[in-house]
Amino acid sequence: MKKFLLIIQFVIMLAATAFAQLTTVSQSPLFKEPVSGYARILHMKNGSTIFLQVTSRDGLYVDIYDEDNKPKAQTHLSTNFGTLLGSCVNALFETNNDLVLFISEVESRQPVLYRIVIDGNTGNIKRDEKIAMTNRYAYFAQPFITQYEPVTSFFVRRDPTSENYALVVLHNNDRTVNGNLEVIWYNGNHKEISRAYYANSDTRYKNINYLDMVVMGDEKVCLFAHIYNQTEAGDKKGQLIMATLSRTVDTLTLDKLNIGVKKVIDSGLVKFNPVTKKILFIGYAHAEAGDEEKYAGIFGFVDPSRQTPDQEIDIFPAKANEKTKAIAGRAYTGMPQNIFVRSDGGFSIVYEELTRKQVKPLNAASYVYCIKDWLAVESFDVNGQPQYTCLMPRHAELRNWEISAFNTERVSRSAQPLIKGEQYRGYACFQYKDRVYVTLNNTETNMKKAAKGKAEGFNAVRDTDGYYYICDASNDLPEYKPLFGLNINKDDDGHPLVMGVSDYDTDKGRFVTLKMDKTAEHRGVRVVWLQP
């Protein structure tokens, strides 16, 4: 009987392993590789898939694929935005079967925001309008370097369960408006529901650092910020707050939160948990009057109705730290980069080790490397108790692009910058049921070294292939798997992925991304649909 049960368990494990494989369902015809501007794939609710490229000179390119992943429409669009100085794709999402793009730039030293609505069936522009602007930069105050100095005055977030969205405009040092921060709430037809300004009435804290917001349908918008006072150089004293805009009140209701007390919170990310009806707040913080280089991740549950007290929990990946010490003889320094909420109310946090390295060559201007090291995924139950941890050794160096806090999650809500091939050195992740899948590019030789804890980065993109890890409770050091098989012929190019352009189809459970490929005559990329 015991032997029979062991056989049954073994069969179940084999079936689960086979089911978890990431296989190609379909792929598009080959087209020219996008190498500049921004790019993004968006899976629509009607089953179609859209690939969008934003260029600095030629406007927008839109490719639409139908429910069967066949080419449906292709358009090249001219827009009202100009030369993309200080450009930033602030958001990209679907409303009412249309594609809505928010893009900002600097016009005559003034940050402006455009909203472009593209028909999801034809690819044609339905609306192209300038919807917001802030006060001008002082003359010569802003370095106009395309792609490297993006506008940071506008933030757009959409409710994932409805068509509603909100816009935050930062009016720094602008006395012509009613406050330093303005929030505008829209429905899916782009009609304004409400708007309000934040005017700091707390004389103890003169400054505000906007962090993130969550839109809860047509009920409310909850905005998170850190208000502070600069007491002296390197010393800030402040407070985390939640400002709520409701449908019935045209002013912001302020609440002080008991999360990150006596800490300076520089970056934040919030998501609503539909199971617990609470907001998950995750941020980067260091102690007041402490070393600004010693950051730690902070996390808390916030009740938007304020009926239950705030709850802060420890999210330090202790098991990843233990495993890193055992393998590499050092501590794990990863910080949160993304968070996924499961259907049972539990959640998984993705961590990444990021460091900056300044290089000062002789007789030349200095520049900064962004070093991307080991990844980790830690799973928590609905109450915030750790369940399992997975660690993935890797190494990559970005020489032309600095990564900001929560960059992976923010790119997934906007678009991937295409800067000198750096888009191939990132990673992409998605959640399928209770697992988190992590995809990245490297060579087979380097992947074997990474499995032994000796992670190395690659030099030439064309020598790499796409790989993936499956993160679940079965293995704290998951094995890597090739996405498209191993490249046996060393003379052939590999099949790396353009990571940040990816999207995930929650209905069919499909991961949609872009991969490099070639035919006998041409080299380019394809949209590829992958199924766990």
Side-chain angles (χ1 to χ4, degrees):
M1 183 67 180
K2 184 181 293 186
K3 185 176 180 180
F4 177 75
L5 290 175
L6 289 173
I7 293 175
I8 293 296
Q9 290 176 353
F10 179 70
V11 171
I12 292 174
M13 287 179 63
L14 285 179
T17 302
F19 183 72
Q21 303 298 310
L22 198 55
T23 58
T24 301
V25 174
S26 181
Q27 59 183 13
S28 74
L30 196 73
F31 59 93
K32 185 178 180 181
E33 177 191 1
V35 295
S36 63
Y38 294 82
R40 176 71 195 284
I41 291 171
L42 198 68
H43 187 271
M44 307 291 280
K45 293 179 181 178
N46 61 11
S48 64
T49 302
I50 297 180
F51 172 71
L52 174 72
Q53 184 184 2
V54 183
T55 66
S56 59
R57 295 177 180 268
D58 303 326
L60 307 177
Y61 291 90
V62 182
D63 293 274
I64 303 178
Y65 302 89
D66 62 19
E67 291 183 78
D68 298 320
N69 308 328
K70 304 298 182 182
K72 178 181 179 182
Q74 186 178 63
T75 57
H76 177 206
L77 309 173
S78 298
T79 58
N80 287 327
F81 63 76
T83 56
L84 290 175
L85 292 175
S87 71
C88 180
V89 175
N90 300 82
L92 179 66
F93 51 78
E94 175 188 0
T95 60
N96 294 325
N97 297 320
D98 291 332
L99 192 68
V100 187
L101 170 68
F102 294 85
I103 187 166
S104 57
E105 64 175 354
V106 177
E107 294 180 358
S108 300
R109 294 186 290 112
Q110 184 173 33
V112 297
L113 179 69
Y114 288 89
R115 178 174 56 200
I116 303 169
V117 181
I118 301 172
D119 191 304
N121 293 312
T122 65
N124 296 321
I125 290 180
K126 298 175 70 172
R127 300 173 66 167
D128 182 1
E129 54 197 341
K130 185 187 301 183
I131 64 169
M133 61 186 67
T134 65
N135 51 309
R136 295 180 186 274
Y137 293 110
Y139 193 59
F140 286 139
Q142 172 76 0
F144 297 131
I145 304 176
T146 305
Q147 295 179 328
Y148 293 93
E149 295 290 339
V151 173
T152 55
S153 302
F154 311 104
F155 301 88
V156 183
R157 296 290 181 265
R158 177 189 171 229
D159 175 21
T161 60
S162 75
E163 306 289 339
N164 301 288
Y165 63 95
L167 162 66
V168 163
V169 183
L170 301 184
H171 298 283
N172 296 324
N173 303 317
D174 190 349
R175 297 181 180 180
T176 64
V177 296
N178 298 325
N180 292 333
L181 183 151
E182 179 183 12
V183 55
I184 312 169
W185 188 9
Y186 297 95
N187 63 19
N189 295 318
H190 315 293
K191 294 183 179 180
E192 185 177 313
I193 298 175
S194 181
R195 76 165 62 199
Y197 288 90
Y198 170 81
N200 188 14
S201 59
D202 194 331
T203 56
R204 294 179 301 168
Y205 306 121
K206 298 179 180 179
N207 306 296
I208 180 171
N209 178 28
Y210 167 79
L211 300 173
D212 200 9
M213 65 177 160
V214 60
V215 181
M216 301 170 60
D218 59 359
E219 179 186 355
K220 63 179 65 175
V221 176
C222 296
L223 181 151
F224 289 72
H226 185 257
I227 55 174
Y228 65 94
N229 204 22
Q230 188 85 42
T231 57
E232 58 183 67
D235 188 357
K236 295 179 180 178
K237 182 177 178 62
Q239 171 75 47
L240 179 65
I241 64 168
M242 180 177 69
T244 303
L245 177 63
S246 62
R247 193 182 186 95
T248 57
V249 181
D250 58 358
T251 58
L252 290 171
T253 303
L254 302 183
D255 292 285
K256 294 181 179 179
L257 306 180
N258 293 318
I259 298 172
V261 177
K262 294 184 178 181
K263 293 181 181 178
V264 177
I265 305 173
D266 287 339
S267 303
L269 173 69
V270 292
K271 285 193 176 182
F272 182 69
N273 189 332
V275 177
T276 62
K277 307 301 182 184
K278 291 184 178 180
I279 297 173
L280 309 182
F281 174 85
I282 188 168
Y284 289 18
H286 64 81
E288 293 180 346
D291 187 348
E292 293 188 7
E293 297 298 324
K294 293 183 178 179
Y295 280 89
I298 61 171
F299 186 95
F301 300 113
V302 179
D303 184 352
S305 68
R306 310 307 293 151
Q307 294 181 357
T308 59
D310 308 322
Q311 179 187 357
E312 185 171 354
I313 66 171
D314 182 13
I315 59 167
F316 177 72
K319 290 185 178 179
N321 187 52
E322 293 174 3
K323 196 72 175 179
T324 304
K325 287 181 178 179
I327 297 174
R330 63 173 180 84
Y332 184 73
T333 62
M335 293 286 284
Q337 278 288 340
N338 207 342
I339 183 170
F340 296 99
V341 181
R342 298 193 301 272
S343 59
D344 63 355
F347 54 93
S348 298
I349 298 177
V350 180
Y351 302 80
E352 182 180 19
E353 293 185 309
L354 292 173
T355 55
R356 298 171 76 251
K357 177 182 177 182
Q358 187 169 15
V359 180
K360 296 182 179 180
L362 293 174
N363 302 321
S366 63
Y367 56 93
V368 175
Y369 277 18
C370 181
I371 311 299
K372 299 163 65 67
D373 282 313
W374 295 19
L375 297 166
V377 173
E378 182 156 12
S379 176
F380 300 82
D381 66 16
V382 68
N383 298 312
Q385 295 299 313
Q387 293 180 309
Y388 66 82
T389 303
C390 293
L391 184 67
M392 292 152 283
R394 57 83 71 117
H395 179 81
E397 296 183 3
L398 302 184
R399 306 184 184 186
N400 303 288
W401 179 31
E402 282 201 68
I403 300 296
S404 59
F406 304 108
N407 178 78
T408 304
E409 202 280 339
R410 297 195 193 285
V411 166
S412 70
R413 293 191 291 194
S414 55
Q416 171 68 55
L418 307 175
I419 305 175
K420 299 182 179 180
E422 302 287 48
Q423 59 270 18
Y424 289 95
R425 300 183 189 275
Y427 69 95
C429 48
F430 65 93
Q431 178 178 273
Y432 178 72
K433 296 187 176 180
D434 60 342
R435 300 183 177 95
V436 173
Y437 287 70
V438 179
T439 64
L440 50 80
N441 299 319
N442 214 326
T443 65
E444 176 66 12
T445 299
N446 286 349
M447 293 300 291
K448 289 180 179 179
K449 292 179 181 179
K452 299 177 181 178
K454 300 176 181 179
E456 291 186 11
F458 59 86
N459 293 319
V461 171
R462 298 191 190 280
D463 295 336
T464 67
D465 282 290
Y467 295 87
Y468 70 100
Y469 295 93
I470 301 175
C471 300
D472 56 24
S474 64
N475 194 349
D476 57 3
L477 198 66
E479 297 181 359
Y480 70 88
K481 298 179 176 65
L483 275 167
F484 310 109
L486 293 178
N487 186 7
I488 300 176
N489 189 349
K490 301 301 181 182
D491 296 328
D492 290 341
D493 294 336
H495 299 92
L497 304 183
V498 187
M499 294 300 175
V501 306
S502 310
D503 198 12
Y504 179 64
D505 173 8
T506 56
D507 294 330
K508 296 181 179 179
R510 289 181 180 176
F511 179 59
V512 192
T513 187
L514 205 64
K515 77 164 181 175
M516 186 182 291
D517 205 354
K518 71 174 184 178
T519 62
E521 298 83 15
H522 303 287
R523 178 184 286 115
V525 293
R526 303 178 190 271
V527 176
V528 59
W529 290 261
L530 301 166
Q531 179 75 57

